[in-house]
Amino acid sequence: MTGLSNTAMPTFMRFFSDNDAPVHPAVLAAIEAANASDAAYDGDALSQALDARFSALFERDVAVIWMPSGTAANALALSLLCPPYGGIVAHEEAHIVLDECGAVELQTGGARLLTCAGEGARLSVDSLRERVARQGTGVHHTRPYAVSITNVTEYGLVYRPDEVSAIGDFCRETGLALHMDGARFANAVAALGCTAADLSWRAGVDVLSFGCTKNGAMNAEAVILFDPARAYEAKRRRKRAGHLLSKGRFIAAQLHAMLEDDLWLANARASNAVAAPLGRAAGTRLLHPVQANEVFLRLSPGEAAALRAQGFGFHDIGEGVARLVTSWHQREADVAPFAAALAAL
Amino acid sequence: MTGLSNTAMPTFMRFFSDNDAPVHPAVLAAIEAANASDAAYDGDALSQALDARFSALFERDVAVIWMPSGTAANALALSLLCPPYGGIVAHEEAHIVLDECGAVELQTGGARLLTCAGEGARLSVDSLRERVARQGTGVHHTRPYAVSITNVTEYGLVYRPDEVSAIGDFCRETGLALHMDGARFANAVAALGCTAADLSWRAGVDVLSFGCTKNGAMNAEAVILFDPARAYEAKRRRKRAGHLLSKGRFIAAQLHAMLEDDLWLANARASNAVAAPLGRAAGTRLLHPVQANEVFLRLSPGEAAALRAQGFGFHDIGEGVARLVTSWHQREADVAPFAAALAAL
Amino acid sequence: MTGLSNTAMPTFMRFFSDNDAPVHPAVLAAIEAANASDAAYDGDALSQALDARFSALFERDVAVIWMPSGTAANALALSLLCPPYGGIVAHEEAHIVLDECGAVELQTGGARLLTCAGEGARLSVDSLRERVARQGTGVHHTRPYAVSITNVTEYGLVYRPDEVSAIGDFCRETGLALHMDGARFANAVAALGCTAADLSWRAGVDVLSFGCTKNGAMNAEAVILFDPARAYEAKRRRKRAGHLLSKGRFIAAQLHAMLEDDLWLANARASNAVAAPLGRAAGTRLLHPVQANEVFLRLSPGEAAALRAQGFGFHDIGEGVARLVTSWHQREADVAPFAAALAAL
Amino acid sequence: MTGLSNTAMPTFMRFFSDNDAPVHPAVLAAIEAANASDAAYDGDALSQALDARFSALFERDVAVIWMPSGTAANALALSLLCPPYGGIVAHEEAHIVLDECGAVELQTGGARLLTCAGEGARLSVDSLRERVARQGTGVHHTRPYAVSITNVTEYGLVYRPDEVSAIGDFCRETGLALHMDGARFANAVAALGCTAADLSWRAGVDVLSFGCTKNGAMNAEAVILFDPARAYEAKRRRKRAGHLLSKGRFIAAQLHAMLEDDLWLANARASNAVAAPLGRAAGTRLLHPVQANEVFLRLSPGEAAALRAQGFGFHDIGEGVARLVTSWHQREADVAPFAAALAAL
């Protein structure tokens, strides 16, 4: 998606993506508070405290690998689950497939993404079973080693814990590992009202990309390893890929701030909340139910142009489909004008 | 180097590394000022303005690739200069050789680092000529395609423009590209009183890793492409390696702040200035002349222990050698106690 | 496809694949004749003579890289046409996609195979245009750099020169390189009665994998570079992948023997000739017209079992489809019994 | 080493390398005998029988991966012992370091070769201990995972079982795996009069590259896995690298022929035997004792030219040093003329 500069565009007009939103004041404050010198890389007090902090959130021992980007987090996570000669089953419209320029191939050393279809970028056990069965497992073939699902999906849909569990069970039966791209994990948890544990390891997820950048952080993601023994390799791969920032405390500080008083959930609830009225305004134009903070709707070129003429910014994703994304910082008043404009079409 | 947490350690006691120093207030201010939403990735106004900004600094058209870490910057730079089946000549103690966990191998697809020796981690034309001559150029051999030098070197020494030019001339004659790891490029320019152009492209450098993180930034480096045509590939490789952060404006803002009113030079002068008295205090213990912001001196285990007992923090680099690094934020008063302690040994 | 040992199975019963057929006596004789010591690797007289030999065949200057396997040849060829961050468009059932265990990913450093559908494993300009158009070309996307087609296709169909030309024209227009996997190129040329040039460079092919192993050789393939300037990189990559055999003269000798008196064409004609009666016997069971040396037909599990009970050997490719492949050494009498058995079903 | 064509040069004049020698008649006969169709790849009877055959030779269960080249065998072997972010300690003049164009980097996904010095290309426990100790083991460093030694070494020296055991013990203590490049393993065993087991797994070798091509085969090597559980990954990697030849029976047949009646030992004894008189003739010119089938001696440019003028062929390896290699097919009479010419200098 092209990103022309929109400095001048006020908040109520921007629906391009949550990935360009402001940083939450509490996160900025945490960054400033971390400014005193401390040990480099991840030797600082804040980084050292992350395992315990996330272990509390996830109600079990986890190892946390902070990362500066979601693409880096997904590639690292998958490199722990699949050898270079293996395959990773993912939806054909998954972010790792369409929007990461081969990051998985680089970090895994050439593993292949084995894609399958599914409404709303969701994978079902049936589609996975069919895809895995179709893939040969002989020495000539790219044998599947892992499955990667995105929750919230690329079309704003949410997998419930029982749906993830069904996929997790399938993975166990077939000897596959399960990764969840949780760039919007917070929005999914907020939408479902479940716990972070219910939607991840309790449902069979082995490694989770826990996103914060889209949810109020500046540049902080966390790879959550439900098997802490993976941390050794993960830390080598993070360094080797150039992601072990020397002033890591500034990444760790963001993660702590996001967890403090459940800011991650509050922000996700806020962005989800303002997507709903846009969805209602879209009415029959909606392609998918609005379950989190994304709205996909049909817009003719003329209608899209008319909305842009009124100053609204959003992405076309082709074939007369527009994507609107709300962010943690938008309030009802920020989306009302666009909702009205949609209803008026 | 292990980094145990040192939150409690006051500035005047910390000489571990400039890579754990505070962020300069002007950089923090610039980050805050960039908080309004803008286009994602590098589509924002600040990122878009970097080419012009650095072209002015370098007195020629350059393309700038912002990066979040120095390891990432070096690996990206070298991947543009050497094919997977080629070799990169570097000093055996270069950061890319000893401290980046194979980042160059990952980003280049397996190119090899061809090392040679040299006092103070400096390479000479003679050592390069000998090393290249020793390397076979047949199909069985790893043929050199590039040379990488570090300025300031890993032992705090500075290459002068004429010394870089001599290496640059050698590279031209032998068909090699020249990369400069400038994690402390600012300290070198400040020490030499030359221009950025004199120490880079005018001396034959093809690609420069322009460091800011050690010099007052939070997590911002710049790969300077003196041939802007390399930008296309560089941007693909940056994305593929997970370094195209979605809120890139926060990296770009740091680079602009560093260039504003030559903050990059002021900070480098400040850190260089306070290394001098430490060097004088070290006296005959010095291993290398103090040319920038690093001091290498001989310390017996007992002496090192005694200094640590007084609260001073620094790294041993083995064999009775200690490394002291000063930072942009330290003033004469901050180093005086350590200087006194050294002199008192 | 599993290969249980079939030593005891007579020729007239074996229809598994042409890749397990005997070596032609003339090829064996050439191998023996090459036994005198000569320069190692590709420095021997036979290897040195290959460029001229194939240049004559292809009616233009070509560079020839001998290779010991078809998988190696395809991966090498594609690594010359696509960078690690790029994509290669191929049919979803292409050999490079289904049967080479990620060889392309290894040799290219992680380039991605972008698949599209097509009857009989054939690609059309329309399908290519649609696939390329669907693929984003921004920095987040895997941009296509090459197209790979297989001739004879994986379902035994043949692209005519005009069909390849149409694809070649599309590639030129869109800035893509064109590779042809010619594991059965000889069978295609024999079936079409065209020249090798007509079906390759004159039709826009940049690099051709010219197969001999399935056609009477022991382990000899040739990567034909219609731009000889690619030879330098190709030779480095061949060595690096362990394919520069030290006694290369034994590979070169096979290629010379295959070209001598057009043995490559004679063998291909022979295997094509005996596929025809099998196709006729299959009658309405045929899935695809028999254009070369492969026959695909519907067989119920019971029918397949019945044929195997009579001693015939062939591969199931799933969903009630059997594949029969004829080889250069089979004569009418060798296929008659199976033809009769098919007709009798 | 350049290999100009030497078709016309008689056996008694050729001392370039054993890697360009003829194929032994028994091996050629075995190749011809294997010409009947059989299952493809390694599904044929000959390939299937290799594990048992080599298990008998090595007096324990082993898994055997046939390979078409030594470079391929070494790279595959090491990819099983070292992750992409790890290092492999080897002699700075090892074949994997100097003569394989980065094959190890390709197959391992970018692991680094950590070199150390040693007289005659031999590694000692002391040199290994020093090298490993020098290498950091933190996340920033390339941590050693394996050691690779060559026996016979690149300078024709032989490690005795007790010397290999000492290295094997060091590897066990430090958690490193041990690979042996046995391109001339047969020459070592023949020289020592020990068993294959004594010089490999009993001495702590985990994976052995068992060479045959230099010793009378055409293009057959064997990777011997003393832990058969490694076979699964090894077979995937062999296929992915394009080394799973479709008519694998022709490789397997060569290995069987080499083992039949200990032809591998007889050939090695023969080549060792004729190196001795050349060594005696070299006298004080010798750089290293002649322990196997290689002779390294000082020759002035004039002397080298004079010998070449008499028709003798050999390689200069630089700095006034010539390398002579004898082969399995040379008899006393074949080397006598060169011995005489050397003595006459």
Side-chain angles (χ1 to χ4, degrees), chain A residues 253-274:
Chain A
Q254 297 177 57
L255 297 177
H256 283 289
M258 290 299 296
L259 264 53
E260 188 72 25
D261 300 330
D262 283 336
L263 178 63
W264 68 290
L265 273 178
N267 283 355
R269 287 194 193 100
S271 54
N272 288 357
V274 293

Side-chain angles (χ1 to χ4, degrees), chain A residues 185-326:
Chain A
F185 182 76
N187 300 85
V189 172
L192 292 162
C194 64
T195 68
D198 290 338
L199 201 56
S200 57
W201 65 272
R202 279 203 196 108
V205 173
D206 294 293
V207 180
L208 168 70
S209 300
F210 182 95
C212 289
T213 306
K214 290 177 158 70
N215 194 32
M218 181 182 290
N219 45 33
E221 310 283 304
V223 175
I224 311 296
L225 305 173
F226 296 112
D227 174 1
R230 299 189 196 273
Y232 174 88
E233 178 177 357
K235 289 177 178 179
R236 302 257 154 183
R237 289 185 175 276
R238 174 176 62 175
K239 171 61 191 180
R240 188 170 184 246
H243 294 298
L244 182 63
L245 307 192
S246 59
K247 298 179 182 178
R249 64 190 186 271
F250 292 109
I251 307 263
Q254 297 177 57
L255 297 177
H256 283 289
M258 290 299 296
L259 264 53
E260 188 72 25
D261 300 330
D262 283 336
L263 178 63
W264 68 290
L265 273 178
N267 283 355
R269 287 194 193 100
S271 54
N272 288 357
V274 293
L278 288 173
R280 286 190 296 271
T284 59
R285 299 171 173 280
L286 274 187
L287 268 80
H288 304 288
V290 177
Q291 298 179 348
N293 69 323
E294 296 179 283
V295 179
F296 292 80
L297 67 161
R298 282 184 206 72
L299 281 183
S300 70
E303 294 168 326
L307 290 167
R308 293 198 166 101
Q310 298 171 60
F312 299 107
F314 53 87
H315 284 301
D316 280 328
I317 61 170
E319 297 154 354
V321 176
R323 185 190 76 159
L324 319 179
V325 189
T326 56

Side-chain angles (χ1 to χ4, degrees), chain D residues 94-166:
Chain D
H95 199 270
I96 57 172
V97 174
L98 291 189
D99 299 307
E100 301 185 359
C101 195
V104 170
E105 286 89 340
L106 175 64
Q107 182 58 280
T108 60
R112 185 179 295 177
L113 294 166
L114 304 170
T115 60
C116 46
E119 176 65 15
R122 284 168 56 98
L123 295 178
S124 68
V125 170
D126 289 346
S127 61
L128 286 171
R129 179 171 288 114
E130 181 279 330
R131 183 65 184 88
V132 169
R134 182 148 49 87
Q135 194 69 14
T137 59
V139 74
H140 301 271
H141 312 127
T142 299
R143 177 179 155 182
Y145 280 78
V147 169
S148 178
I149 60 176
T150 310
N151 201 13
V152 179
T153 77
E154 287 74 12
Y155 284 108
L157 301 181
V158 172
Y159 288 94
R160 296 188 314 268
D162 63 299
E163 296 171 314
V164 178
S165 287

Side-chain angles (χ1 to χ4, degrees), chain A residues 96-102 105 110 112-113 139-142, chain C residues 96-102 105 110 112-113 139-142:
Chain A
I96 57 173
V97 174
L98 291 189
D99 298 308
E100 301 185 0
C101 195
E105 287 88 339
R112 185 179 296 177
L113 293 167
V139 74
H140 301 272
H141 312 129
T142 298
Chain C
I96 58 172
V97 174
L98 291 189
D99 298 307
E100 300 186 358
C101 195
E105 286 88 340
R112 184 179 296 177
L113 294 167
V139 75
H140 301 273
H141 312 129
T142 299

